[in-house]
Amino acid sequence: MLFNSLSFVVFLVLVLALYYSKIFGWTGKKRMLLLASYVFYGLWNPPLVILLWISTVVDYTAGKKLAVVVDKRKRKLWLLLSMFVNLGFLAFFKYGDFLLENFTALLNAVGVDYTARPMDIILPMGISFYTFQTMSYTIDMYNRRLEPARTFLDFALYVTFFPQLVAGPIVRAKELLTQFYTEKKATANQFVWGLFLLTIGLFQKVVLADTLLSGTADTVFGSREVLNSLDAWTGTLAFSGQIFFDFAGYSTCAIGIALMLGITLPDNFRYPYAAIGFSDLWRRWHISLSTWLRDYLYIPLGGNRHGITRMYVALMLTMLLGGLWHGAAWTFVVWGALHGIYLVVERLLKGMVKVKINAWNGIVLAFLTYTLVNITWVFFRAREFGTAWNMIKSMFFLNDEGAKVLYEFDITKVLIIITGLFICHWVMRNTSMKEVAQRTNPWVFGVFWAILFFLIVISQGSGEQFIYFQF
């Protein structure tokens, strides 16, 4: 079920009506939310709910054991069971075909004539998100950073809470699980703000990502021809805007829906295209993933505690695996590698050059960061290395005469939207939408909200699923 569908509107109204009715007590409301979450997820492919059940039962049991078992060996075995089940599901469903293809290619490369039949595995929606979420619980339990879930119902709802189940934010147990222990009810201000966030998220997805930008990105990256520089840059910029509005739109919807239930989810984006450098970028982009990778991968690999060389190795491995987390293709590995290289180079430069950031050099550095980010987006969006390489050559004026596939209107539209996006992020980088709303005249705010709603209604979005559903 998609947030940007009429069926979800009906679903949400029904859930809110039951949630705020006096039919249920708090336990009954949690059961209703759990059932609603299974319905929300199961409408894509009902049998895949079984994976959620298995992960839930295994991790809840492992967590209970880790809370009481003292023997180190037994504690490790319970942790390994959780990781084996979760990573096993992830490896099979997400990387099964990828591993088989590369195994076949390796055999062919050494002279073995072998052809494997594709397994055609169905990728469960959101498996990367809920796998990381449940694993964080058992890892925290193993490290004694967390108390075990009080009831199986609380833990099951933590795993499957429908607003953020499919595409995050990836929420830690201490941030969400504990909220289910006492009854939650949104205040009038929380409910209204949550509804506004849902509107903003849908506007980002339906109007900006789908209606205004996706067509241009699809035209450019779907072209079989070598393109001219302007079209290559326009398509890449369009995708950079599309993926931000799409993913940030989902996160904003999720945060808004949860807030309407009186439940708080953490921010996942903080105006990332105004980042000054790549360390700053990853503090602003997909924050729940970047902090997960930091806490459960980078730091266990040694972080910055064992010298510069090991720190850079840990950084590169973290970003490579972060790239692979996004998709089963070598283009995603290259995307992660580029971000790792950017981070390493940035740290080297910071050690050699001291720059005091001000408004003038700050915006230049932010623009440079955004430009370099767009180079990585080419590999993220392109389906094949050939397409990505031709795009890169066109962007750097290495193709003499590239084809033109975009109309002037498309180019102008994208440049206006992306310029506005960059300026908006720069202006908002040290504040928040809520702070701005609180300073805005209520009548102006109401008119702005009405315009957003009107544009959502009249837009010609095709009801496409969110990009991050495939991850």
Side-chain angles (χ1 to χ4, degrees):
M1 190 180 297
L2 301 173
F3 289 165
N4 51 320
S5 65
L6 290 176
S7 59
F8 178 77
V9 174
V10 175
F11 170 84
L12 181 60
V13 170
L14 180 60
V15 168
L16 290 172
L18 292 172
Y19 187 80
Y20 285 105
S21 70
K22 296 182 179 180
I23 301 173
F24 307 110
W26 180 231
T27 300
K29 290 178 181 180
K30 288 192 288 187
R31 288 172 179 162
M32 182 274 296
L33 285 177
L34 181 61
L35 177 61
S37 298
Y38 285 134
V39 171
F40 174 83
Y41 188 78
L43 285 176
W44 274 298
N45 195 323
L48 296 180
V49 174
I50 296 172
L51 297 181
L52 276 174
W53 290 341
I54 294 172
S55 292
T56 301
V57 171
V58 168
D59 290 325
Y60 177 73
T61 304
K64 284 190 69 177
K65 294 295 183 180
L66 288 168
V68 297
V69 171
V70 177
D71 183 84
K72 291 183 178 180
R73 180 175 172 276
K74 291 181 179 179
R75 288 175 59 78
K76 285 183 179 179
L77 288 175
W78 281 110
L79 176 63
L80 288 172
L81 172 65
S82 170
M83 296 183 72
F84 176 79
V85 171
N86 286 296
L87 293 178
F89 282 156
L90 191 61
F92 177 77
F93 286 98
K94 188 167 185 175
Y95 303 105
D97 281 326
F98 176 69
L99 293 172
L100 181 61
E101 288 171 8
N102 283 275
F103 176 71
T104 302
L106 179 63
L107 289 179
N108 293 337
V110 297
V112 178
D113 186 15
Y114 174 74
T115 302
R117 179 182 298 177
M119 292 187 287
D120 295 325
I121 301 169
I122 297 173
L123 178 64
M125 289 285 188
I127 189 171
S128 297
F129 289 89
Y130 69 72
T131 295
F132 272 27
Q133 184 155 312
T134 56
M135 280 177 55
S136 73
Y137 172 78
T138 50
I139 294 171
D140 284 348
M141 288 298 303
Y142 177 79
N143 291 320
R144 300 192 186 281
R145 297 173 185 158
L146 189 68
E147 293 295 321
R150 292 183 183 177
T151 68
F152 180 77
L153 174 61
D154 290 323
F155 183 76
L157 186 54
Y158 161 69
V159 174
T160 60
F161 187 50
F162 76 86
Q164 49 82 225
L165 170 62
V166 179
I170 303 168
V171 189
R172 313 285 179 87
K174 64 182 179 182
E175 296 172 318
L176 181 58
L177 176 61
T178 54
Q179 293 189 61
F180 298 137
Y181 294 160
T182 56
E183 184 167 2
K184 294 294 184 291
K185 182 180 179 181
T187 64
N189 285 338
Q190 283 179 320
F191 192 92
V192 171
W193 183 247
L195 187 59
F196 177 73
L197 290 178
L198 177 57
T199 308
I200 283 283
L202 290 175
F203 173 77
Q204 289 179 298
K205 166 63 176 173
V206 175
V207 178
L208 296 173
D210 288 355
T211 304
L212 296 178
L213 293 175
S214 67
T216 303
D218 290 345
T219 298
V220 169
F221 282 93
S223 175
R224 295 291 182 181
E225 301 179 82
V226 175
L227 304 178
N228 66 49
S229 298
L230 182 58
D231 281 17
W233 270 108
T234 301
T236 303
L237 290 170
F239 179 70
S240 75
Q242 180 195 2
I243 194 168
F244 169 75
F245 288 128
D246 189 284
F247 192 19
Y250 182 94
S251 294
T252 305
C253 287
I255 293 167
I257 294 164
L259 195 59
M260 293 165 73
L261 297 167
I263 295 168
T264 303
L265 297 179
D267 287 340
N268 210 21
F269 291 87
R270 292 180 188 144
Y271 309 103
Y273 288 155
I276 299 174
F278 286 86
S279 297
D280 190 27
L281 175 76
W282 284 102
R283 287 190 289 266
R284 295 171 178 274
W285 178 277
H286 202 348
I287 300 167
S288 62
L289 174 65
S290 61
T291 54
W292 198 101
L293 292 172
R294 178 197 66 197
D295 295 343
Y296 299 110
L297 190 58
Y298 174 69
I299 292 176
L301 285 172
N304 56 6
R305 303 188 308 275
H306 301 286
I308 293 177
T309 301
R310 184 163 173 180
M311 178 187 71
Y312 289 151
V313 171
L315 196 57
M316 284 300 301
L317 284 173
T318 299
M319 296 313 298
L320 285 169
L321 290 172
L324 195 59
W325 176 89
H326 283 85
W330 289 110
T331 49
F332 290 109
V333 177
V334 172
W335 175 82
L338 285 173
H339 276 279
I341 292 168
Y342 288 161
L343 287 165
V344 169
V345 171
E346 177 184 279
R347 295 195 181 197
L348 288 170
L349 290 175
K350 281 184 176 179
M352 295 185 292
V353 182
K354 302 296 181 183
V355 178
K356 186 175 181 180
I357 303 297
N358 56 45
W360 298 106
N361 62 21
I363 196 168
V364 172
L365 291 172
F367 181 76
L368 175 61
T369 303
Y370 178 57
T371 302
L372 293 173
V373 167
N374 275 285
I375 295 172
T376 72
W377 284 138
V378 172
F379 292 94
F380 195 96
R381 176 60 178 82
R383 295 287 180 262
E384 299 172 350
F385 276 113
T387 303
W389 183 237
N390 283 332
M391 287 285 291
I392 293 294
K393 288 196 294 183
S394 294
M395 290 165 68
F396 285 91
F397 308 98
L398 298 178
N399 287 322
D400 294 332
E401 293 185 8
K404 183 175 178 59
V405 296
L406 297 178
Y407 296 106
E408 297 299 326
F409 173 78
D410 295 317
I411 296 171
T412 304
K413 174 187 65 177
V414 169
L415 293 180
I416 290 173
I417 293 172
I418 298 304
T419 300
L421 172 62
F422 180 78
I423 293 172
C424 177
H425 279 211
W426 178 255
V427 171
M428 295 289 292
R429 73 186 307 274
N430 293 319
T431 186
S432 69
M433 191 161 36
K434 192 165 189 178
E435 290 176 2
V436 173
Q438 289 172 341
R439 297 194 301 264
T440 303
N441 181 286
W443 287 101
V444 174
F445 181 80
V447 170
F448 175 69
W449 192 349
I451 292 172
L452 293 181
F453 184 76
F454 175 73
L455 291 173
I456 292 169
V457 171
I458 68 168
S459 70
Q460 299 300 308
S462 56
E464 296 177 9
Q465 71 177 29
F466 291 82
I467 292 174
Y468 264 69
F469 281 15
Q470 64 186 293
F471 305 138

